[in-house]
Amino acid sequence: MLEISKIRGEFPILSEKVYDRPLVYLDNAATTQKPWPVIRCLEEGYRRHNANVHRGVHFLSQTATEAHESARSRVGRFLNAASAEEIVFTRGTTESVNLVAFSFGETYCREGDEIVVSVMEHHSNIVPWQMLCERRKMRLKVIPMNDRGELQLDEYEKLLGPRTRLVAVTHVSNVLGTVNPVGEIIAIAHRHQIPVFVDGAQAVPHRKVDVQALDADFYAFSAHKVYGPTGLGVLYGKKKWMDEMLPYQGGGEMIEQVRFDKTTYNVLPFKFEAGTPDFIGTTALAAALDYVETLGMGEISDYENQLLQYTQERLAALPGMKIYGQAADKESVVSFRLGGIHPYDTGLLLDKLGVAVRTGHHCAQPLMERLGIDSCVRASLSFYNTREEIDALCAALERIRKMF
Ligand code: PMP
């Protein structure tokens, strides 16, 4: 059992006030707040351990390198990767997708080939593939979903063919909360010898992910959504692909030898890490992963699921409420519209009442189109949220409804 009041005490921002009201932070799918161990790690990194990694012979550089490489191993254990060399640090999920879209595309894709994505992808798991398709004169195919917000796997399998080069799919939808059966999606693709890229941005903060059990070829997430620092992300990629794939960016660190007539590239994972990495951020990410794993991913998941049930029941009871996303397996996100009130107005008024939610298209315009709306309000939960905060959200919505 999680001790929520103790946990809340470890996140200093949660005791801040907005407009003189206690902050109710329900925008966790956009970014999560940071606990003291992560904040301290960042502060100590700059105060005591700062030196550039990999290149220095001096003491500080060596300790910084050790901390950075041990953070990589920490991430590897978190995802259960077979080896730390399969873990590449990026700037976030977005950069991880762009890396694979470019490097996989350069290495394996030709005119007439196809990439399969789903209708519920975040723009960052659509646009890089579209760019690849434009560069290489390829086609993008889209897995449809049913009205509950679940991917239609029978339709999915029909999309796969001899020209399909890769399937790119989200583990958890940032709008609907749908948990996609990625294990099954991967198994189906593998029957056709097609690799799968999984966008884990909304999954990793909420449940245990095991890339080997899933047999994912690529898996990406962002540090800032899992209580770590911003501007940092992870790409897991199977060695068999990553070894063959051409580098994404050129520069320092990613080379073996540079000559004007020919440059050779470094081994994994450095081949994909041009330039100075965010070595302070990576150690803070390791602290964040220690933090969530000490709480227990199972405990986090159980608590958040109960809170999600409560949130959905309370919201559904409000007159004029329409909730988007009724998947059987759903996680920590509730998107909705209240009567005829524009989501933007709902969000602004909620803010004035101290409740932080997100409104808009949530970087998922094709999904909005499928739902027949242009925008919605999204409340997204973390283990530090409470039933009292959900009550505050509902009371605020009740007030807003009466105002209109
Ligand atoms: N994919 C999903 C499902 C997301 O929710 C997000 C963030 N909203 C991203 C990708 C992009 O993450 P980042 O902006 O951290 O790169």
Side-chain angles (χ1 to χ4, degrees):
M1 274 279 282
L2 300 181
E3 272 187 77
I4 305 303
S5 60
K6 179 164 167 277
I7 288 172
R8 288 182 69 83
E10 288 163 354
F11 288 78
I13 211 168
L14 297 180
S15 10
E16 292 289 320
K17 295 206 159 168
V18 291
Y19 311 115
D20 229 16
R21 292 168 186 274
L23 167 68
V24 176
Y25 185 77
L26 298 174
D27 195 16
N28 295 288
T31 199
T32 50
Q33 301 303 345
K34 316 304 168 201
W36 275 121
V38 171
I39 298 169
R40 281 201 200 99
C41 185
L42 288 167
E43 196 246 355
E44 278 202 9
Y46 285 111
R47 194 159 54 79
R48 297 190 49 219
H49 309 299
N50 180 50
N52 207 336
V53 290
H54 297 146
R55 278 163 262 190
V57 289
H58 59 85
F59 176 82
L60 271 189
S61 174
Q62 286 180 19
T63 49
T65 304
E66 272 162 32
H68 176 64
E69 288 307 323
S70 107
R72 191 190 307 279
S73 303
R74 182 72 190 84
V75 173
R77 288 198 303 281
F78 182 72
L79 292 178
N80 193 31
S83 127
E85 60 183 346
E86 296 179 314
I87 303 296
V88 170
F89 287 118
T90 63
R91 283 191 304 118
T93 305
T94 303
E95 193 179 48
S96 300
V97 187
N98 277 279
L99 189 163
V100 178
F102 181 83
S103 295
F104 185 92
E106 285 297 296
T107 313
Y108 301 109
C109 296
R110 301 287 170 266
E111 183 172 343
D113 285 346
E114 294 162 358
I115 300 284
V116 172
V117 298
S118 91
V119 67
M120 64 174 77
E121 298 307 312
H122 187 280
H123 293 164
S124 66
N125 202 25
I126 299 174
V127 184
W129 304 114
Q130 281 180 322
M131 289 163 70
L132 165 62
C133 287
E134 245 165 64
R135 271 201 312 277
R136 284 280 150 107
K137 299 196 177 60
M138 295 165 53
R139 275 179 61 200
L140 196 68
K141 292 190 160 181
V142 182
I143 311 168
M145 67 176 199
N146 63 25
D147 291 337
R148 289 189 303 280
E150 296 160 331
L151 292 181
Q152 290 168 266
L153 293 196
D154 45 343
E155 295 299 321
Y156 158 60
E157 187 149 19
K158 289 184 207 152
L159 297 177
L160 305 179
R163 299 309 301 265
T164 315
R165 286 292 153 264
L166 182 130
V167 174
V169 73
T170 193
H171 197 162
V172 174
S173 158
N174 65 313
V175 178
L176 305 167
T178 308
V179 182
N180 288 318
V182 285
E184 211 178 321
I185 290 172
I186 291 167
I188 293 171
H190 284 179
R191 284 210 293 272
H192 299 256
Q193 281 81 48
I194 299 164
V196 179
F197 174 96
V198 182
D199 171 352
Q202 298 296 345
V204 154
H206 305 292
R207 52 172 54 205
K208 174 75 195 146
V209 171
D210 181 332
V211 289
Q212 290 192 82
L214 289 175
D215 203 15
D217 297 276
F218 302 96
Y219 196 99
F221 73 91
S222 298
H224 70 99
K225 291 189 200 279
V226 61
Y227 310 95
T230 189
L232 177 69
V234 167
L235 171 67
Y236 158 82
K238 274 187 191 164
K239 187 170 156 57
K240 69 166 181 178
W241 301 115
M242 302 281 271
D243 262 343
E244 285 187 358
M245 277 159 55
L246 289 168
Y248 171 52
Q249 293 182 327
E253 293 284 325
M254 53 75 73
I255 54 91
E256 179 192 49
Q257 188 175 37
V258 178
R259 302 170 76 146
F260 281 118
D261 56 345
K262 168 118 183 110
T263 288
T264 51
Y265 305 128
N266 206 340
V267 293
L268 288 179
F270 310 110
K271 182 171 87 174
F272 290 107
E273 293 182 349
T276 299
D278 181 2
F279 51 84
I280 303 278
T282 55
T283 54
L285 169 60
L289 300 183
D290 284 345
Y291 185 85
V292 290
E293 288 204 323
T294 304
L295 293 181
M297 293 313 293
E299 277 78 1
I300 288 175
S301 189
D302 288 348
Y303 177 82
E304 289 179 349
N305 279 332
Q306 282 170 23
L307 194 61
L308 176 69
Q309 293 311 325
Y310 182 73
T311 309
Q312 297 202 123
E313 278 160 29
R314 288 284 333 256
L315 286 177
L318 296 176
M321 174 58 65
K322 164 103 179 112
I323 293 177
Y324 297 91
Q326 321 279 348
D329 195 0
K330 187 172 166 174
E331 193 128 71
S332 65
V333 168
V334 192
S335 289
F336 62 87
R337 287 174 71 115
L338 186 62
I341 311 169
H342 195 276
Y344 184 71
D345 294 329
T346 313
L348 269 187
L349 290 166
L350 281 174
D351 172 58
K352 294 290 176 289
L353 297 167
V355 183
V357 293
R358 183 140 296 227
T359 65
H361 53 62
H362 311 287
C363 298
Q365 282 180 333
L367 174 61
M368 293 294 121
E369 201 179 322
R370 167 66 177 83
L371 296 171
I373 53 178
D374 62 349
S375 62
C376 58
V377 184
R378 178 185 73 188
S380 53
L381 312 175
S382 159
F383 53 75
Y384 47 57
N385 290 124
T386 62
R387 289 187 173 216
E388 290 71 31
E389 289 182 308
I390 301 307
D391 294 343
L393 165 71
C394 293
L397 286 171
E398 196 57 78
R399 259 180 84 173
I400 293 165
R401 196 177 58 82
K402 286 189 182 133
M403 280 162 67
F404 276 82

